[in-house]
Amino acid sequence: MALPRWFPVARKEATTLLRSKGTWILAPLLVVWGYGPTYISWDILGPDVTVGFIQVAGSTLLPLCVLLLTYRSIIQERTSGSLKFLLGLPLTRTDILIGKVLGRSVGAVLPFALATVVLGVIGGVKFGLFSPVRFIGVFLVTVLYIAVLVSVATAASAVTTSTVRVTAVLFGGFFLLLTLGWKIVGVRLYSAVTGNPVNPFEPPADGLLFAILRISPGRAYRTITNWILGVGNSGGQYTSVIEVLYPGISTNEYVVDAAFSGQPVPAYLHESIALVVLLLWGVIPLALASYRFNRGDLA
Amino acid sequence: MTSPAIETDGLSKQYGEVVALDALNMTVAQGEVYGFLGPNGAGKSTTINLLMDYIKPTSGTARVLGYDPWNDVVACHQRVGICPDRFETYESLSARRHLELVIDTKRADDDPRALLEHVGLADAIERPAGEFSQGMEQRLALAMSLVGEPDLLILDEPFTGLDPHGVALVRDVVEAESERGATVFFSSHVLGQVDLVCDRVGILYEGDLIVEGTLPALRDTCDLSSDATVEDIFMRLTDGSAHAGEMDT
């Protein structure tokens, strides 16, 4: 069976990333960033606190670095003219985008996988044997999240004509507003739409509020990983979710189980829907970009 | 072998108000070496960009080896080799990796070393292209264009940035590829090189193909002696002085 047409492009992209030192610096950074046991999370999770480290590593530093490793992948080739080699090959432009996304994803996943192994060893030694199913589950969801981030960055890189613009859109819009700051931005958006003020320590049991919060790819990612960890239905960091549900502690995180205590929870707030949200982030921007990339002038 | 290697009909490209190419009608027969000449800004690169699907036309049609160059890209590029103009190579990848990218995508069975030997770069096979001089990058691109014995070789300004050895190399490559049966289509604003290699030339001037034919025929048309060069023909056709200063001979 022949390899797909885009395979050599994917191999080139992965090779390019894995030969750069910046890619591998990601591994130790993620270990340092992710490792952070707390007494309360140990109390609830026991040895599985190690699995939570992966989520923390995947939450802020990972998306930033994955975007940094990807956002120039097409605009740079357009500016330098090397894209003429790829476009001159027997490939459709969609093939080129697929090769870019998959190759860069592999290139970004490998240092993350290394960091995961190190976190697993450190956590395993210090806190005992964790659930391998949860560990692998959270790892795989993070791999999916990386592919989604690469897909978004590639899409932006494919439709822009300037590096400055793609930087602004990805880091100012996608990363800062949608990923890092969505807890604030999303709640403001909810208040603006509904007119309801929100006390972050006692959020209302309104499905719309939680649905808005959940469209952030970062919060969708944490909703799925919190589900695997079994800490509660929320897009917040697992430590905060545990604190909200822990007797006697008050934290400003939005947790479905706390807000809807006793009331029926809308079906669309089920954790599995967050997986759909994440997949849509992986597909829709790239599909839109592909539409334009296929029709535009690239030289 | 019936369809021409390249055929364009009213092929035009406009950027807003600017006409980069104005209704180009051109036919390049299979097996010929066609020199596509003209000063910078005449529309040569625009034409090649259109034929390679780097850009889309405003109007008009084209066929490359019988294929629609914008909709049958995969089938078309499988049989085309391109040496682009104004490009950079991938700085962290070795010369071998560059060739493997093309060989594997085209599913060809060429040996990267043999191709690099052909262009005088075999010594640099494992070196990252970021260390290459402009001439070496040009040679690497030429080697990449030869992968898979293309039926049509498109060389965009192949003499740019080459020393005399490099220029001789391009001529040898064109001759060898032509002998193998390939069609060679190359653009150049350096008129001095083309007399020796072309079967036929077309001269593009301000977005228009102003003349096309074999060199002897063009000399006759222009009423020039048999030792007249492409430059003489060009100067005669464009009334001498207007753009002569832009020509790089």
Side-chain angles (χ1 to χ4, degrees), chain A residues 2-17:
Chain A
L3 290 166
R5 288 257 173 210
W6 46 257
F7 184 80
V9 173
R11 190 185 55 195
K12 157 188 143 357
E13 293 300 318
T15 310
T16 304
L17 269 197

Side-chain angles (χ1 to χ4, degrees), chain A residues 2-5 8-9 11-13 15-16 19 77 79-93 95 100 293-299, chain B residues 13 15 49 52-56 73-75 77-78 80 82 84-90 92-94 97-98 100-102 104-107 141 144 156:
Chain A
L3 290 166
R5 288 257 173 210
V9 173
R11 190 185 55 195
K12 157 188 143 357
E13 293 300 318
T15 310
T16 304
R19 286 194 175 192
E77 286 217 33
T79 316
S80 78
S82 60
L83 192 59
K84 289 175 183 173
F85 290 118
L86 292 188
L87 291 170
L89 292 172
L91 297 169
T92 64
R93 292 183 181 183
D95 287 335
K100 287 261 176 195
F293 190 66
N294 277 323
R295 282 157 188 76
D297 288 348
L298 299 174
Chain B
K13 182 65 181 178
Y15 294 97
N49 288 346
M52 288 306 297
D53 186 39
Y54 296 161
I55 59 176
K56 309 286 183 183
V73 178
V74 174
H77 289 186
Q78 182 63 35
V80 173
I82 172 75
D85 182 29
R86 276 183 281 177
F87 62 88
E88 278 172 29
T89 47
Y90 302 111
S92 69
L93 300 184
S94 65
R97 289 272 184 184
H98 279 81
E100 281 171 353
L101 172 66
V102 184
D104 295 345
T105 307
K106 285 195 159 177
R107 297 170 181 172
M144 289 165 80
D156 197 356

Side-chain angles (χ1 to χ4, degrees), chain B residues 159-234:
Chain B
F159 302 109
T160 309
L162 290 178
D163 60 19
H165 290 293
V167 171
L169 168 75
V170 173
R171 270 202 231 114
D172 290 346
V173 165
V174 169
E175 237 160 67
E177 291 298 294
S178 174
E179 211 138 286
R180 177 172 66 73
T183 309
V184 182
F185 179 83
F186 72 88
S187 73
S188 183
H189 66 284
V190 189
L191 302 186
Q193 308 299 336
V194 301
D195 312 47
L196 301 163
V197 286
C198 300
D199 298 326
R200 222 150 58 93
V201 300
I203 296 179
L204 199 66
Y205 185 65
E206 295 182 344
D208 265 323
L209 193 64
I210 52 173
V211 71
E212 190 185 44
T214 61
L215 283 178
L218 292 189
R219 288 188 188 108
D220 284 350
T221 316
C222 300
D223 202 17
L224 288 164
S225 62
S226 63
D227 61 349
T229 63
V230 174
E231 281 157 57
D232 299 327
I233 295 168
F234 179 81

Side-chain angles (χ1 to χ4, degrees), chain A residues 60-285:
Chain A
T60 309
L61 191 66
L62 186 76
L64 180 64
C65 292
V66 169
L67 296 180
L68 278 172
L69 291 175
T70 320
Y71 78 107
R72 292 174 66 206
S73 70
I74 290 178
I75 183 65
Q76 184 181 31
E77 286 217 33
R78 242 176 110 168
T79 316
S80 78
S82 60
L83 192 59
K84 289 175 183 173
F85 290 118
L86 292 188
L87 291 170
L89 292 172
L91 297 169
T92 64
R93 292 183 181 183
T94 304
D95 287 335
I96 293 174
L97 290 182
I98 292 172
K100 287 261 176 195
V101 170
L102 295 181
R104 294 251 157 183
S105 296
V106 169
V109 160
L110 289 182
F112 162 69
L114 180 63
T116 305
V117 170
V118 173
L119 281 171
V121 170
I122 296 174
V125 168
K126 289 199 76 162
F127 306 108
L129 186 63
F130 43 82
S131 152
V133 174
R134 284 179 170 175
F135 188 82
I136 291 168
V138 170
F139 170 75
L140 290 179
V141 173
T142 313
V143 168
L144 172 69
Y145 186 38
I146 290 174
V148 167
L149 293 162
V150 171
S151 173
V152 169
T154 306
S157 194
V159 295
T160 190
T161 47
S162 93
T163 310
V164 177
R165 210 168 307 145
V166 68
T167 308
V169 167
L170 270 181
F171 294 94
F174 182 80
F175 181 69
L176 215 58
L177 295 183
L178 264 164
T179 308
L180 208 59
W182 193 246
K183 193 162 96 177
I184 298 162
V185 179
V187 170
R188 292 237 171 111
L189 187 68
Y190 167 81
S191 292
V193 171
T194 61
N196 301 338
V198 174
N199 171 4
F201 290 90
E202 266 180 63
D206 187 345
L208 180 64
L209 171 65
F210 286 87
I212 289 175
L213 283 170
R214 206 152 282 187
I215 59 174
S216 153
R219 295 188 71 86
Y221 159 71
R222 280 190 299 274
T223 303
I224 308 163
T225 46
N226 285 335
W227 186 28
I228 295 171
L229 269 168
V231 293
N233 184 349
S234 170
Q237 188 173 305
Y238 78 102
T239 48
S240 308
V241 180
I242 288 172
E243 285 170 14
V244 169
L245 297 172
Y246 202 82
I249 299 185
S250 184
T251 301
N252 60 340
E253 187 50 78
Y254 300 86
V255 181
V256 170
D257 319 62
F260 287 80
S261 63
Q263 301 175 51
V265 176
Y268 56 82
L269 290 184
H270 190 265
E271 288 99 327
S272 58
I273 303 299
L275 190 61
V276 177
V277 170
L278 204 56
L279 288 172
L280 289 178
W281 273 109
V283 173
I284 292 176

